Amino acid sequence: MSISKYPRVRVHWIDILGDTSWADEDEFQEMKCSTCVSEGHLFHKDENSVMTFASYEIENGEIISYGDRNIYPIGVVRKIEYL
């Protein structure tokens, strides 16, 4: 496959926040999810997830493997920008 098949995208998404320390009610309520932005090539998108990659290996001008891969559950994705 050629890289031209995979559009460049910027994915805006929300990440969870976990903490194993003890906290009182006020400290707990101050916890916020992280707002994140990732860029790469869109591999696949459906009603359940968005799949991207940022690196790839080529041979004879064709992609033979993918690296820096991510799968985002659709519920955490806030926006996808096509670059």
Side-chain angles (χ1 to χ4, degrees):
M1 223 23 92
S2 170
I3 192 62
S4 62
K5 175 185 176 195
Y6 305 105
R8 287 220 13 102
V9 293
R10 180 177 295 132
V11 180
H12 297 255
W13 57 285
I14 304 299
D15 198 5
I16 66 168
L17 172 62
D19 186 2
T20 61
S21 65
W22 291 98
D24 63 27
E25 188 174 318
D26 291 335
E27 291 170 313
F28 197 178
Q29 289 183 358
E30 289 177 11
M31 292 178 71
K32 303 289 182 227
C33 292
S34 298
T35 301
C36 305
V37 178
S38 299
E39 292 186 11
H41 293 274
L42 182 61
F43 182 78
H44 178 77
K45 178 181 180 264
D46 61 27
E47 67 277 355
N48 297 312
S49 63
V50 174
M51 302 172 74
T52 66
F53 65 95
S55 300
Y56 53 96
E57 181 182 11
I58 59 172
E59 190 172 284
N60 298 322
E62 298 293 319
I63 297 175
I64 61 170
S65 64
Y66 305 86
D68 301 315
R69 299 168 294 143
N70 290 295
I71 299 177
Y72 307 91
I74 202 70
V76 305
V77 175
R78 295 299 180 245
K79 177 171 68 169
I80 300 174
E81 293 178 75
Y82 288 80
L83 304 176

